[in-house]
Each structure stands twice: as structure tokens, then as C-alpha cells.
Amino acid sequence: MHLSTTSIRRPALLVALLFSCFVTYGQEAPIKYGKVTDDEVKMKVFAADTSAAAVILADYGRSYFTYSDDFKITFERIVRIKILKKSALDWANVVVPYYVKNSSKEQVGSIKGTTYNYENGKVVKVKMENSAIFDEKESANWSNKKFALPAVKEGSVLEIAYTVTSDFLFNLREWNFQYSIPVVLSEYRASIPKFFEYKQIAQGYESFALKESVLGTQNVTLRRSGGYVGPHRVAGGTDIESIDNVNHRWVMKDVPAIKPESFITTINDYVSKIEFELEWIRFPNTMPKSFAGNWSRLSEDLLADEQFGLQLNRTGYFKSELAALAGIKDTLSKLNAIYDLVKKSVKWNGKNSKYATTNLRSAYTNKTGNAADVNLMLVAMLREAGFNASPVVLSTRENGRAPHTPVLIRFNYVIGLVKIGDKQLLLDATDPYMPLGSLPLRCLNGSGRIIHEQGGDWVALTSDEKTVNMLSADLTILPTGTLDGQVTQSVAGMWALNMRHNILRDGEDKYLEKMVNNQTQLERKKPVLKNLKGIDKP
């Protein structure tokens, strides 16, 4: 699903200006900023998990809607963290992501941070200065507000508060109840006018201590613009109306820390949390508008996007280089030649994205670009050469599993797909050592969505090449009891890719020297490397 950068406007029935007074939930907020207790500051160990390096004492957030020229969502958060060991000092470094689309962006404000320490028999608090706050661009659509709390040490209590105001109604903030440290109390509230219907997606294995949805109302002030209705003049003025809303509340208590394990994608796929997807907007006296479940629209939006699909049609900048390959008659050989051409022409800058940085011509001229610059250029070249090629959007392992519903912001990467007869190959040209038909580990994450004019389809994100590490030996037992002979190690697939990168990093001589020195029970001659640059071979 793709929504435009302008937010969704209520029809101009009566409204020129709307101020909302939100109903209370009947309960006070579970945490108030600045109300840290002496016991919290003096705490030296968390009794429920004595191994914990830190513990979240309370985490409270709420989202609600306001209106001034347009609807907005305001998200507020207060969190209190106890630092128990030096290994947890990084919890003082805070990152608040916010969404950006063209000239519109979410606003992060009301940032406060205070550190509490117990010194000389009393609690000492140190407030964060505004100079500690700065912005950092994460990707084409995400930036981060970053700040670090001062005077943090073992035993500190950290208190953090901020708000995020958003015009993007599809981006109702998700809420994590679970982290890599224990959580004593986590509570999230959302007050949603009945104009808006969101699908709630709960994840994780922890149970709610409280989960409720209570009908309520909020008073709003409507200002009428004066004018004519037919021949009759209607005076301007104001009315106070009551709007129905639903007040949601989710609470978890005593949530254990969650730790990464081997062979998983990202721990964020397993933490207990709740997410939201906008499904319907139903304004009075207006046809309801659906935002759910339209994969065809997602493909259409991407193909019409200036930084995605439209770039595939602009091919003039590489025509001469592509023409030099026209004499190659074998299909796979030509495919491999185009694949190598892209890898040599544009170096990946290490950034993941599904959108081109600016345009592919610039990336080609500057010889560097993000993942979309590289792989969209690959698709464009393949199409120009007559191949049946399409882009495939996906979510990397670090980003989490691909969405079950068409939420475009959940995809953060793009690769290429080419069909040759009844076979299809997935291609990623960001790594010069990646052989044809293989994908980097970050892309091996379930399924990706093929984007084409017919609406797209799913494709399994797998590599054709097997990962193999094979040892063979031709040895003779000498009268002394020692072994003498030759040992060959043959490495293919992902392990071969990793080995080539290690050799590239260290240099061939240094890498082989390190290999010899690590063999404490072997006396060996200098090893010999083969096929270092023959990336299609072990």
C-alpha cells in the first residue's frame, strides 16, 4: 500500500478548523516525568533477574488524533530505565526514528532527558542539554533523531520523554513491550476516532496483563465558512460536536528479557509488540475509503514512482556499453556479462533501499550508489538487452519478515529477477564477489514481491548455489608415526564468498601467513590459493 505524502483530508463539509479535547481513560498515567523515587536510584540489583545489566522500570506511550487544517497523529512516550552494570551504558544513547517522504516529515519534539545518580547520600539529577540532540538520515524514507543522556554510570536511573507528530495516518506508531533487558511495566494507549479503522497485529509470546477497548467521545469545535447554498446565504459560525472514538489500552507486566539466538533473522520478529495497519476511513456522508489488501496498487505506485519504476525506462546513458556486448550469442554468457558490467560500473555504498538515490544516470556517472541504484540499473540493462527482467522488493533479515499485507514502508530493499525459459534467477549486483544466481545473506528472508505491470507475485528468496566446505587428503603414515601428504579444502557458496572477502581485506600473503600460523600441530609449506577471482568456481 502506498499513500501520498499529503495526509488524508476530511471532506469540506463544515470544517475549517477543528480542536479536539480528548477524554481521559479513567486511570492516571502509570508514570510521570520527574517522579523518580530514592529506592529506584539506590537499587543495585534487579531481584527478578539478577543477571540483568539494566531494567526498564516503566514504559508508557499513547497515541491520539488532532486536527488543524488536517488530521494528525500525536505519539507521546515516557520511559524510565535503571542501569545496573557498565555493559548497559549504551541505553543512554537514544534513537527515535521518524518517517520522511519528499518535503513532508514527522516531527519529533518535546525531547527531555534526565540522569539521576545517588551521590554523597542524596539523589543528584543532571538534565540533558539541547546541544546533545541531532538528526541523522537512515534511508530515503527514514531519519533518526538521536541524543545521549549525560553523566550516566553504573547505578544511574535514566528518564526520557518525547513526542512524534505525524501527518501520515497509515503510520500509527507500533509499540514494543519487550526488549533485551527486563521490563517491569509497559503500557500503550491509543484513542482513535471512529472515522479510522486500523487492523491490530499482536506479536510475541508474552500475555497481556490488561487489554481493553472502551467506547468514548471527544468534543470538537467546528467552524463553518460563510457562503451560499443555492440562492440562500449561510452565515459563518462555530458548533461544538461530539465525536465517537475508541480508547484502547494494552498493558504487560514483568516482561522477561529476550535474547538473540542462532539461525534467526532479527530478534524484532519475535519480541512481544503490537502493530497497526490502516484499513478504512469512514467520514460521515462520504463513501468509505479502503486502504487494505491491494497488491496491484502497490505495484502500480512503485512503477509510477520517480525513484523506482520510471528509472527503468531511462536507458540512454549505458547504450554504448551495452552495445559492446551485443555479439555474445549464448544467453547465460550475455546475462553474466551484463551482471559483471553493472558490478564494475557502480560500487555499492553499503546502504539498503528500494528507491534510487536521485536517478540511475547519476549513480552510473559517479560510479557509486545504494542497493536500488545498483539493482534497478541491472534490471534496466537486462530489459534493454531483451531479457524478461523485473525488480523484486523485499525486507532484509535485519529489517524483519515481509508483511502479509501491502504495506510499502515495510520493504527496504530491491533485487532483480530474470526469466530464461522456464527458469528464473534472482540477482543482486551489490557484491563484486557474488556469483550469478546467488543472493547475499541479508536478502535470504522468506519471500520477495515481484513488481510488474500485471500486479506482481511472490518469489522465494533462495540461492541456487549450495554452501559447501569439503576437505580431501592424500596422506602417508611415516615410520615415525607422523602424517605426510597433501590436503585440499574446497569451499563454495556463502562460505566461499566470506573467504574471498577475508582475503580481500587481509591481502593474499597475510591471509595465507595467518593460516599457517594458526596450525599449531602441522608443519606445512606455503598454501596455494586457486580460483580467487573465478567467483563462479569454488
Side-chain angles (χ1 to χ4, degrees):
M1 177 180 66
H2 176 76
L3 298 179
S4 63
T5 58
T6 56
S7 52
I8 302 157
R9 298 183 178 274
R10 181 179 177 180
L13 312 171
L14 301 168
V15 182
L17 188 64
L18 171 65
F19 296 99
S20 299
C21 301
F22 295 91
V23 293
T24 63
Y25 285 86
Q27 297 88 8
E28 290 187 358
I31 176 177
K32 292 185 177 180
Y33 194 87
K35 300 297 182 180
V36 173
T37 67
D38 288 358
D39 288 342
E40 289 173 329
V41 184
K42 292 178 181 178
M43 181 195 299
K44 293 184 177 180
V45 66
F46 181 51
D49 182 355
T50 56
S51 66
V55 57
I56 296 175
L57 301 172
D59 195 3
Y60 171 61
R62 72 173 186 135
S63 292
Y64 55 89
F65 286 67
T66 60
Y67 190 102
S68 179
D69 297 327
D70 218 336
F71 279 102
K72 297 179 184 290
I73 304 174
T74 299
F75 168 78
E76 299 175 353
R77 186 187 185 193
I78 301 175
V79 58
R80 188 176 298 162
I81 306 169
K82 174 69 181 183
I83 305 297
L84 297 167
K85 299 178 182 179
K86 291 181 180 179
S87 59
L89 294 181
D90 280 348
W91 282 89
N93 301 320
V94 184
V95 179
V96 183
Y98 61 92
Y99 187 71
V100 180
K101 184 65 175 176
N102 298 330
S103 60
S104 298
K105 65 180 181 179
E106 295 178 326
Q107 301 294 327
V108 182
S110 302
I111 299 173
K112 294 188 290 185
T114 306
T115 302
Y116 299 82
N117 292 312
Y118 195 71
E119 298 174 354
N120 302 320
K122 62 179 182 179
V123 175
V124 178
K125 62 180 180 180
V126 182
K127 294 184 178 180
M128 181 184 67
E129 300 290 338
N130 288 336
S131 58
I133 305 169
F134 63 97
D135 282 276
E136 180 181 80
K137 185 175 180 178
E138 179 75 20
S139 65
N141 293 114
W142 288 98
S143 289
N144 295 319
K145 188 75 74 172
K146 302 180 103 174
F147 51 94
L149 272 67
V152 180
K153 59 185 178 180
E154 194 172 336
S156 298
V157 170
L158 315 179
E159 200 164 41
I160 301 150
Y162 59 87
T163 65
V164 182
T165 304
S166 178
D167 294 328
F168 305 103
L169 299 185
F170 62 85
N171 203 21
L172 180 60
R173 287 261 156 170
E174 66 179 45
W175 183 260
N176 278 32
F177 296 92
Q178 192 172 30
Y179 293 90
S180 60
I181 58 176
V183 180
V184 177
L185 173 67
S186 181
E187 180 170 336
Y188 186 46
R189 301 177 185 179
S191 180
I192 304 175
K194 294 187 74 175
F195 300 145
F196 306 104
E197 296 179 14
Y198 290 86
K199 181 180 180 181
Q200 300 175 19
I201 306 168
Q203 174 189 286
Y205 303 97
E206 300 301 316
S207 300
F208 288 105
L210 177 67
K211 179 182 177 183
E212 65 179 12
S213 298
V214 179
L215 294 177
T217 59
Q218 59 191 64
N219 291 329
V220 298
T221 301
L222 304 177
R223 192 177 74 188
R224 300 188 307 275
S225 300
Y228 286 90
V229 177
H232 305 290
R233 179 174 176 80
V234 178
T238 59
D239 293 305
I240 295 178
E241 290 190 6
S242 182
I243 294 179
D244 292 335
N245 60 11
V246 182
N247 298 316
H248 302 277
R249 187 180 177 209
W250 302 270
V251 181
M252 283 191 182
K253 296 181 179 179
D254 302 320
V255 184
I258 187 168
K259 304 295 183 183
E261 297 183 10
S262 301
F263 309 114
I264 66 171
T265 51
T266 170
I267 198 67
N268 289 331
D269 282 343
Y270 302 91
V271 299
S272 293
K273 65 179 180 179
I274 188 163
E275 299 174 290
F276 305 90
E277 293 177 4
L278 181 61
E279 291 193 302
W280 287 93
I281 293 181
R282 303 179 190 272
F283 287 123
N285 306 316
T286 307
M287 287 291 293
K289 189 170 184 179
S290 173
F291 291 87
N294 195 332
W295 287 104
S296 294
R297 176 66 185 276
L298 182 143
S299 290
E300 291 171 7
D301 289 343
L302 276 174
L303 291 173
D305 196 292
E306 177 63 34
Q307 292 176 279
F308 191 95
L310 296 185
Q311 294 297 320
L312 300 175
N313 303 323
R314 297 164 187 169
T315 60
Y317 58 94
F318 58 67
K319 281 185 179 292
S320 59
E321 286 80 0
L322 202 59
L325 306 177
I328 303 175
K329 301 303 180 184
D330 180 72
T331 301
L332 278 178
S333 296
K334 179 179 284 191
L335 173 61
N336 219 337
I338 296 172
Y339 182 58
D340 286 340
L341 174 61
V342 174
K343 290 194 290 184
K344 292 173 183 175
S345 300
V346 185
K347 182 180 179 182
W348 181 46
N349 61 14
K351 295 183 178 179
N352 299 337
S353 182
K354 61 180 176 287
Y355 294 116
T357 307
T358 51
N359 58 71
L360 300 187
R361 179 186 289 273
S362 296
Y364 191 78
T365 301
N366 298 327
K367 297 188 179 302
T368 185
N370 64 24
D373 293 323
V374 175
N375 289 325
L376 289 177
M377 186 181 300
L378 174 62
V379 173
M381 282 195 184
L382 291 172
R383 287 183 171 183
E384 184 70 14
F387 286 92
N388 181 2
S390 301
V392 176
V393 291
L394 58 88
S395 175
T396 58
R397 294 170 68 88
E398 184 182 34
N399 192 58
R401 61 173 65 95
H404 299 295
T405 52
V407 183
L408 186 56
I409 62 173
R410 296 287 297 276
F411 295 98
N412 70 324
Y413 201 90
V414 61
I415 59 174
L417 178 144
V418 61
K419 292 184 178 181
I420 301 175
D422 59 354
K423 186 177 182 180
Q424 57 187 27
L425 292 174
L426 295 172
L427 307 174
D428 186 302
T430 59
D431 191 330
Y433 285 101
M434 183 70 64
L436 184 71
S438 294
L439 293 177
L441 181 61
R442 61 181 173 272
C443 295
L444 301 180
N445 190 28
S447 299
R449 187 75 186 178
I450 306 171
I451 304 300
H452 53 63
E453 288 75 5
Q454 289 72 41
D457 202 356
W458 290 102
V459 60
L461 298 171
T462 58
S463 288
D464 285 349
E465 190 174 16
K466 302 296 183 184
T467 294
V468 177
N469 189 354
M470 183 174 65
L471 285 171
S472 61
D474 182 8
L475 302 173
T476 301
I477 303 176
L478 301 179
T480 58
T482 59
L483 296 174
D484 180 73
Q486 180 173 306
V487 178
T488 301
Q489 181 183 18
S490 179
V491 181
M494 197 63 66
W495 285 340
L497 179 68
N498 293 340
M499 181 178 283
R500 287 186 170 102
H501 277 291
N502 291 337
I503 296 169
L504 180 67
R505 181 195 63 211
D506 296 342
E508 187 172 339
D509 291 338
K510 187 175 180 181
Y511 181 86
L512 295 177
E513 181 183 348
K514 187 187 298 183
M515 179 184 289
V516 171
N517 293 338
N518 288 342
Q519 298 290 348
T520 57
Q521 298 185 31
L522 295 178
E523 179 184 344
R524 61 192 298 174
K525 297 178 180 179
K526 183 178 179 180
V528 176
L529 280 172
K530 295 182 179 181
N531 301 333
L532 178 60
K533 296 183 179 180
I535 62 173
D536 56 334
K537 300 176 182 178

